[in-house]
Amino acid sequence: MVSHHSDVAVDNSSFCDEDKERGGGLGVEYAVDDGGGDSSGSEVQGRGTWKHATFHVATTIATPAAYAPLPFAVASLGWPLGVASLVGATFATWYSSLLIASLWGWNGKKHTTYRDLAGSIYGSGGYWSIAFFQQVASLGNNIAIQIAAGTSLKAVYKYYHSDGNLTLQHFIILFGIFELFLSQLPNIHSLRWVNALCTLSTIGFAGTVIGVTIYDGKKIDRESVSYSLQGSSSLKMFTAFNALGVIAFSFGDAMLPEIQSTMREPAKKNMYKGVTTAYGIIVMTYWQLAFCGYWAFGNAVQPYIVASLTTPKWTTVMANLFAVIQISGCFQIYCRPTYAYFEERMLSNKTTSTSGLLLGNHLIRLLFTSIYMALITLIAAAMPFFGDFVAICGAIGFTPLDFVFPVLAYMKAGKILRSPTNRYLLMFLNLAIASWFSVVAVLGCIGAVKFIIDDVNTYKFFHDM
């Protein structure tokens, strides 16, 4: 078991900039760990800059599938609670992300995965707990965004072929095939230019949708727009619970240590700057889209706001294309923990120049990535209930990873401020965040399960939404 004291010296001078192009598909080198968290002490060698961190973090969090449902979430809570929940979640996750970045090398070792970091602080229980939540977040996120990508592709298709016979399921499968191709790239660092394009697409999507939303909002008779909460008291309650899960999903980032492991030294400084810059992009896109969308359409706004846009039609097509481009990169970031798990156990951990072994490794990678993509594509095609998957994934997967664990891990790792006053204020803040978002996780899960049951009873499997 590793020491939990914070006064271990960390020598950054031994880390060079040569990238090890292996290690769970993440662009780093580490040994296989079965839960103790001690194997992460292998030398980590990254070459990413803070700009690459910005691309990766922005691509991971600010996907159209994450912020397109935000106007609907705000509408489900109303103006006061909706604004407070969104703004509060923004600052809470920015703060939590900085805490996770600060734990890099906290005990003298570089933990290259989230589960290794948890294992170093909480032992095997922490390792396997984070592994579970990370897989839930990864699978749930990729199911949700594959549905979103299929929906966007279908919208583009219907614009040019209004009488076409292709269904949502065809486009979900098409997107799955494309992601299988991208899955053959070896690691996160190899996706840096894909994610740079995705970051630009994030800004393009947000700018297009915000502009069209304001344009449509001005054309609508404002007296016909209602901001009151709809339905019975129980329906309002479950809808509000569901909205909390949606907001939690919109800030999902279960990959911060994996991203930080690709950074060159000083990794902490590069990560702080990258995270803060990424959150600047998030604030510009999330808040404007959420508030403009609710203002424009009121309680009639759709769970995927693009569906609420009417004119001009070509801008809707452009927004959908931006969405597909951005989602393609986000999907890859989130499938990497699953790929890492299989690679640690199935692929050789020893460097070899034997062409036969290299070919065998590529074939094994193709096999397990094909199985993963087939599973995700099947579930997305069978149950294309976008909003429901967003809420339950946010509640069960992202809330523990992004809100609860970071603050608890920071305290457990022994990070203590010198000033007693500041120390107690920080402890109070951390406990408040952990407590409140634990409640959010439970409430969001309740709301999401309720609506999934309703949709399963309403629609048939493989329904063309």
Side-chain angles (χ1 to χ4, degrees), residues 348-361:
S348 172
N349 281 318
K350 295 181 179 180
T351 304
T352 178
S353 59
T354 305
S355 59
L357 286 177
L358 291 176
L359 177 61
N361 285 349

Side-chain angles (χ1 to χ4, degrees), residues 27 36 49 74 129 134 180 183 248 260 305 309 323 395 422 425:
T49 67
V74 174
S129 295
Q134 203 172 37
L180 177 60
S183 294
Q260 191 165 7
I305 190 173
L309 306 181
N422 292 337
L425 286 174

Side-chain angles (χ1 to χ4, degrees), residues 182-195:
L182 288 182
S183 294
Q184 307 317 304
L185 293 174
N187 50 54
I188 287 180
H189 192 64
S190 66
L191 294 165
R192 60 194 181 279
W193 299 116
V194 174
N195 288 342

Side-chain angles (χ1 to χ4, degrees), residues 315-395:
T315 57
T316 304
V317 172
M318 187 166 65
N320 279 304
L321 290 176
F322 278 135
V324 173
I325 294 171
Q326 203 286 336
I327 288 171
S328 64
C330 179
F331 191 103
Q332 283 302 306
I333 294 290
Y334 275 103
C335 66
R336 296 291 158 162
T338 305
Y339 294 169
Y341 178 84
F342 283 106
E343 287 187 4
E344 288 172 8
R345 285 151 180 80
M346 297 176 67
L347 299 185
S348 172
N349 281 318
K350 295 181 179 180
T351 304
T352 178
S353 59
T354 305
S355 59
L357 286 177
L358 291 176
L359 177 61
N361 285 349
H362 286 304
L363 290 176
I364 292 173
R365 183 182 183 85
L366 178 61
L367 174 63
F368 66 71
T369 55
S370 297
I371 293 173
Y372 177 89
M373 287 307 311
L375 176 64
I376 296 295
T377 301
L378 176 63
I379 297 174
M383 296 187 294
F385 312 134
F386 170 72
D388 301 341
F389 276 110
V390 164
I392 199 166
C393 176

Side-chain angles (χ1 to χ4, degrees), residues 154 162 208-209 217 289:
K154 180 186 174 184
S162 58
T208 302
V209 174
L289 182 60

Side-chain angles (χ1 to χ4, degrees), residues 424-454:
Y424 288 119
L425 286 174
L426 185 64
M427 184 179 298
F428 174 78
L429 174 64
N430 289 344
L431 290 175
I433 290 174
S435 300
W436 168 243
F437 284 100
S438 295
V439 173
V440 168
V442 174
L443 297 181
C445 185
I446 292 172
V449 169
K450 193 265 183 188
F451 286 110
I452 287 177
I453 293 173
D454 288 349

